[in-house]
Amino acid sequence: MIQIYHNSRCSKSRQCLSLIENSGKKFEVIKYLENPPPIAELTELISKLEIAPLDLVRKKEKIWIEEFKNKVLSPKKIIEIMAKNPILIERPIVINGTKAVVARTIEKALGII
């Protein structure tokens, strides 16, 4: 089953969700702002994405700029920060089995759906 980490306030996330809905495939919407993923889930997600934790951070968010931007942080600490501040998690994320993408473009989403 396809999963999407979704933020309804994000236009790219809404676009991606619409694409998934129109695919006719079964899917699950994960409202990660309402139910922040625990550290273990984020760690697994980052592994599926095959990226560094810092690459999943929304670096233009106010909280990142004010509290973390110029600090040296371990990958583990970055994951802890995202777990406590889910607004920092890049979106939308689409998961299909063992593969995942940050679907900032429709093409990336199409490649996994």
Side-chain angles (χ1 to χ4, degrees), residues 89-100:
I89 300 170
E90 190 61 79
R91 66 203 179 232
I93 301 169
V94 178
I95 305 163
N96 194 351
T98 60
K99 299 184 186 241

Side-chain angles (χ1 to χ4, degrees), residues 14-75:
R14 290 191 308 268
Q15 264 184 332
C16 190
L17 179 57
S18 178
L19 179 72
I20 293 169
E21 288 171 337
N22 292 328
S23 76
K25 296 180 181 177
K26 290 186 177 185
F27 66 94
E28 173 189 12
V29 176
I30 300 169
K31 296 181 179 182
Y32 68 96
L33 294 177
E34 295 173 18
N35 299 302
I39 291 170
E41 186 177 325
L42 274 174
T43 301
E44 181 181 339
L45 180 58
I46 289 165
S47 177
K48 284 182 182 181
L49 288 165
E50 299 179 341
I51 61 174
L54 186 60
D55 295 333
L56 192 58
V57 173
R58 294 179 55 81
K59 296 170 195 78
K60 294 182 181 179
E61 288 290 337
K62 183 179 177 180
I63 190 168
W64 181 262
I65 293 167
E66 291 178 354
E67 295 187 32
F68 307 109
K69 183 178 179 184
N70 294 314
K71 293 184 178 179
V72 176
L73 303 164
S74 70

Side-chain angles (χ1 to χ4, degrees), residues 79-112:
I79 293 169
E80 290 172 6
I81 290 167
M82 285 190 287
K84 290 179 184 172
N85 304 281
I87 191 70
L88 292 175
I89 300 170
E90 190 61 79
R91 66 203 179 232
I93 301 169
V94 178
I95 305 163
N96 194 351
T98 60
K99 299 184 186 241
V101 294
V102 177
R104 298 292 298 160
T105 64
I106 290 296
E107 291 76 23
K108 284 189 176 182
L110 285 171
I112 197 167

